[in-house]
Amino acid sequence: MASFQSLAISTEVADALAAGQPVVALESTIITHGMPYPQNLAMARGVEAITRAGGAVPATIAIMDGAFRVGLVDADLERLAETGARAAKASRRDVAALLNAGATAGTTVATTMQAAEMAGIALFATGGIGGVHRGAELSFDISADLEELSRTPVAVVCAGAKSILDIGKTLEVLETRGVPVIGYGTDDFPAFWTRSSGHKVDHRLDTPEAVAALIETQFSLGMGGILIANPILAADALDPQMIETTIAAAIADGERGGVSGKALTPYLLSRIFELTHGKSLVSNIALVENNVRVAAAIAVALAARRRQ
Ligand code: PSU
Ligand code: MN
């Protein structure tokens, strides 16, 4: 656990960690930049409730008024949700500047992992990770999430990566960086809104206990994070052809508008929301909830192992 002046862990989360109780970290860029208001607020509250129902303590992470906060109260969730994209999006390189400026920011997968590790939280659930953008051979746009996974010992439960990214290249970079990619109950790497990307995973695990055991081994080796890819439930998945066509249209619109850098992922998400008349958001929320359920079960299994 690093000592860091501005890391503010809520009493509930700190007590749970001290007692060895299961804790699940949750990110906040998905609140500020990933979903529109007020669905973002309902989602943020919903996933905290699902974490609790699963027997774990939720630790939503954000930068608020210049503090790295681990464990938020409802008023914080409301403020983040209402502020939306007017808040900053904190990637790793932004953290020090945002803390010094007293800013409020959503934390990405990368920075949520960073704070989770500082707090001593092993598990983190989100929707999708950032990755290698299509055309990255020209733009060099590769999410800092991949670098963070390679260095920070936190297990991230996600529904794979959206095909707004180049999923094949994303998996290649994860391999280069030595990040274990685990299919949870699947042999295929999922594609966020759909259950399969057409790419295989190297390792499949089917139970929370098996994932907890893997986390213990990986962390004891002093290696970095783990990516646990949990496919969207079939009932919530979108039609693969429809979503592919929509993504292609959204990317073309982004190129025409000259959208790039950290604005690109939020732009594509909101454009896809418009083009699918909100269907993408309904599925997005469902898959986040599904990931949080799995993460809570893994956190419970991990706490039980560590008590033995
Ligand atoms: N994917 C989503 N919703 C999101 C994000 C990704 O479906 O909100 C956010 C996550 O916080 C992720 C970040 O860490 O976007 C990646 O941004 P970038 O591609 O700029 O690294
Ligand atoms: Mn980027």
Side-chain angles (χ1 to χ4, degrees):
M1 223 191 276
S3 73
F4 167 59
Q5 285 285 317
S6 308
L7 191 73
I9 307 177
S10 74
T11 311
E12 187 193 16
V13 171
D15 288 351
L17 290 168
Q21 285 161 2
V23 176
V24 174
L26 301 162
E27 68 150 307
S28 49
T29 291
I30 195 175
I31 304 173
T32 53
H33 292 73
M35 293 181 188
Y37 181 82
Q39 291 95 330
N40 57 353
L41 179 57
M43 181 281 305
R45 287 174 170 157
V47 292
E48 291 212 345
I50 289 168
T51 306
R52 289 183 198 286
V57 171
T60 303
I61 291 174
I63 291 175
M64 306 216 51
D65 308 312
F68 226 152
R69 297 265 308 275
V70 178
L72 302 182
V73 296
D74 196 65
D76 299 321
L77 297 183
E78 259 177 39
R79 181 144 71 94
L80 286 168
E82 282 168 9
T83 308
R86 281 178 284 117
K89 174 178 163 186
S91 190
R92 188 176 174 93
R93 65 159 180 192
D94 306 307
V95 170
L98 291 169
L99 294 178
N100 279 15
T104 293
T107 49
T108 63
V109 169
T111 45
T112 304
M113 288 180 74
Q114 196 187 346
E117 200 249 335
M118 285 194 280
I121 302 172
L123 263 157
F124 162 29
T126 185
I129 56 158
V132 180
H133 278 270
R134 296 191 193 180
E137 61 276 24
L138 295 177
S139 67
F140 277 47
D141 191 350
I142 301 176
S143 175
D145 293 354
L146 302 184
E147 193 71 36
E148 199 69 39
L149 278 161
S150 77
R151 85 172 107 200
T152 302
V154 171
V156 180
V157 182
C158 73
K162 282 177 298 299
S163 54
I164 60 174
L165 303 171
D166 187 319
I167 296 179
K169 289 194 181 81
T170 300
L171 290 169
E172 288 294 345
V173 170
L174 287 167
E175 182 196 354
T176 305
R177 303 286 189 207
V179 179
V181 177
I182 308 302
Y184 188 74
T186 181
D187 297 307
D188 292 323
F189 189 73
F192 198 80
W193 286 298
T194 56
R195 288 179 57 82
S196 175
S197 63
H199 297 270
K200 295 283 170 200
V201 293
D202 292 325
H203 305 280
R204 169 183 177 151
L205 297 173
D206 292 322
T207 64
E209 291 72 25
V211 178
L214 184 89
I215 290 171
E216 290 272 83
T217 302
Q218 168 86 355
F219 292 3
S220 73
L221 289 167
M223 295 174 72
I226 302 174
L227 191 63
I228 298 152
N230 178 43
I232 188 171
L233 297 172
D236 300 316
L238 296 181
D239 176 62
Q241 206 128 38
M242 182 280 282
I243 197 68
E244 233 359 89
T245 312
T246 305
I247 287 168
I251 290 174
D253 291 347
E255 277 170 6
R256 264 196 299 279
V259 185
S260 67
K262 71 197 299 178
L264 184 58
T265 298
Y267 170 82
L268 293 174
L269 290 175
S270 73
R271 189 72 189 118
I272 292 164
F273 170 75
E274 289 166 6
L275 292 171
T276 60
H277 307 287
K279 271 195 201 160
S280 63
L281 181 60
V282 174
S283 287
N284 194 342
I285 292 172
L287 68 85
V288 176
E289 292 176 348
N290 189 39
N291 293 341
V292 171
R293 236 171 262 125
V294 166
I298 298 168
V300 168
L302 188 63
R305 270 186 85 84
R306 289 178 171 176
R307 266 196 305 275
Q308 278 168 12

